[in-house]
Amino acid sequence: MDYQQILQDLDNKIYYPIYLLSGEEPYYIDKIADKIADCVLTNDEKSFNQSIVYGKDTDVATVAQLAKRFPMMSSYQVVIVKEAQDLKRIEDLHFYAENPLKSTILVLCYKYKKFPGTTSLAKLVKKIGVTFEAAPLKEWEVGKWVKAYVKEQAYQIDDDTAALLAEFLGNSMHKLENEIQKLMILLPKGSAITRKDIERNIGISNEYNNLELTKAFGDKNVLKVQRILQSYAANPKANPMPVTIAALFGYFRKLLLLYFLPSKTNEAIAEALKISPNNFVIQQYLNAQKRYSATKLVEIIALLRQYDMMSKGVDVGTTSQGDLMRELAFKILH
């Protein structure tokens, strides 16, 4: 069952005896568990009928015992096991799942990895309850998620600013939500979140980040590339070379893919490159492609692979990462 369907069922008071929530991205797992904790029982009912335990602090026998209790002055009782990945012998809960109490809603929050689908517990829950896998956002999905989340909160953000947040904060949805919420506290309801807001309140440099670096390479703006790399060299811990190379690899790979697309419509480009279908964003890639031949792009990708290994200590000698990046930039731009 998908995330939206689970929330819709909860809103419609359609409950299942067991929810097995697992996956690498804890954000949706927490959201579903919080929704169940908030909406199933009234505040008065929660005192006697809601139990929240943690996997490392409990055991299967205790969880099963809690689940087998009958509710007091309520139609349901809720048992939530947080950090269920730390619950030893969790698969033994299949004995409870064989005959679960209809008045109990048992929620297992199994984070940071997928629960093995071949176990007896997973198979039983799939038949009688809800299994949900929370996958992390892919790189090209982060900006889109940011835009959708900001819109849902009745604010605005453009593609470029959403991409800046995605590039700086990564794909951790909890981290993205926390930083966006900080901005919303400071800004009037319904206003637009701008790059200046982000620079001022989150600490992202408007000029010195990997998004601006890839654009500078795309424009073949030698001065800006060198200025950004000089800033990186002054603070290598905040700008690790492997992360920068990964960003450049993704960018130049997209430019190379452009050469082989049978269709150059905005829709086809956005789909193939996994980028926003925004005209301005697509035009940036098309303009950058014109500055690099396909042969040069193949050479650049080979260089990036080579310098990625060097950034990890292979055949590098005593050369600093700052000097390696400047050397790599020269080879890319000339």
Side-chain angles (χ1 to χ4, degrees), residues 3 21 23-35 82-83 85 109-112 132 134-137 142 145-146 149 165-166 168-184 202:
Y3 176 69
L21 314 174
E24 295 178 41
E25 175 52 69
Y27 179 83
Y28 289 124
I29 295 173
D30 289 338
K31 288 292 183 183
I32 294 170
D34 289 346
K35 177 83 171 177
K82 295 195 173 185
E83 310 297 337
Q85 71 278 4
C109 303
Y110 190 92
K111 296 180 180 178
Y112 311 118
F132 171 77
L137 288 173
V142 181
W145 184 87
V146 168
Y149 180 80
L165 269 176
F168 185 77
L169 297 175
N171 68 343
S172 168
M173 296 169 76
H174 275 306
K175 187 174 182 180
L176 286 164
E177 182 182 59
N178 288 340
E179 294 299 335
I180 293 170
Q181 285 291 337
K182 288 178 188 177
L183 289 170
M184 290 176 179
I202 296 182

Side-chain angles (χ1 to χ4, degrees), residues 47-196:
S47 301
F48 297 102
N49 299 294
Q50 184 159 286
S51 303
I52 298 176
V53 297
Y54 289 81
K56 66 179 179 180
D57 299 325
T58 190
D59 54 44
V60 167
T62 300
V63 173
Q65 188 176 22
L66 287 171
K68 289 176 181 176
R69 294 189 313 182
F70 287 95
M72 293 180 60
M73 297 176 289
S74 173
S75 299
Y76 295 99
Q77 72 144 341
V78 174
V79 179
I80 299 175
V81 183
K82 295 195 173 185
E83 310 297 337
Q85 71 278 4
D86 296 327
L87 180 62
K88 294 179 180 179
R89 301 180 64 85
I90 186 174
E91 294 85 359
D92 287 352
L93 281 173
H94 77 86
F95 292 112
Y96 170 76
E98 288 171 358
N99 188 26
L101 213 59
K102 291 183 180 179
S103 56
T104 293
I105 299 170
L106 174 61
V107 185
L108 303 174
C109 303
Y110 190 92
K111 296 180 180 178
Y112 311 118
K113 53 186 174 180
K114 181 181 178 181
F115 190 87
T118 56
T119 63
S120 298
L121 177 59
K123 290 177 180 177
L124 282 168
V125 174
K126 193 171 183 179
K127 290 179 181 178
I128 63 166
V130 171
T131 58
F132 171 77
E133 181 184 355
L137 288 173
K138 296 180 175 62
E139 176 189 347
W140 59 85
E141 296 174 327
V142 181
K144 183 179 178 182
W145 184 87
V146 168
K147 286 199 71 177
Y149 180 80
V150 169
K151 183 179 180 181
E152 184 181 292
Q153 303 300 313
Y155 286 78
Q156 304 166 50
I157 191 169
D158 61 35
D159 289 327
D160 207 34
T161 308
L164 178 63
L165 269 176
E167 189 274 325
F168 185 77
L169 297 175
N171 68 343
S172 168
M173 296 169 76
H174 275 306
K175 187 174 182 180
L176 286 164
E177 182 182 59
N178 288 340
E179 294 299 335
I180 293 170
Q181 285 291 337
K182 288 178 188 177
L183 289 170
M184 290 176 179
I185 291 171
L186 299 169
L187 299 173
K189 190 77 170 180
S191 62
I193 297 173
T194 67
R195 293 170 68 91
K196 287 186 178 179

Side-chain angles (χ1 to χ4, degrees), residues 191-250:
S191 62
I193 297 173
T194 67
R195 293 170 68 91
K196 287 186 178 179
D197 295 324
I198 292 170
E199 180 184 5
R200 187 182 303 115
N201 298 298
I202 296 182
I204 303 174
S205 169
N206 189 40
E207 192 172 5
Y208 303 138
N209 56 72
N210 284 337
L211 182 64
E212 291 302 318
L213 181 62
T214 55
K215 286 183 180 179
F217 273 111
D219 294 335
K220 282 202 169 181
N221 187 332
V222 178
L223 182 61
K224 187 169 184 179
V225 167
Q226 293 301 330
R227 190 182 297 135
I228 294 173
L229 293 182
Q230 185 176 349
S231 171
Y232 281 15
N235 192 7
K237 287 187 178 180
N239 304 281
M241 185 176 173
V243 175
T244 300
I245 288 181
L248 292 174
F249 180 84

Side-chain angles (χ1 to χ4, degrees), residues 287-302:
N287 290 339
Q289 183 208 21
K290 294 173 184 176
R291 299 184 179 99
Y292 295 91
S293 68
T295 302
K296 179 64 177 177
L297 289 171
V298 171
E299 177 189 330
I300 289 170
I301 288 172

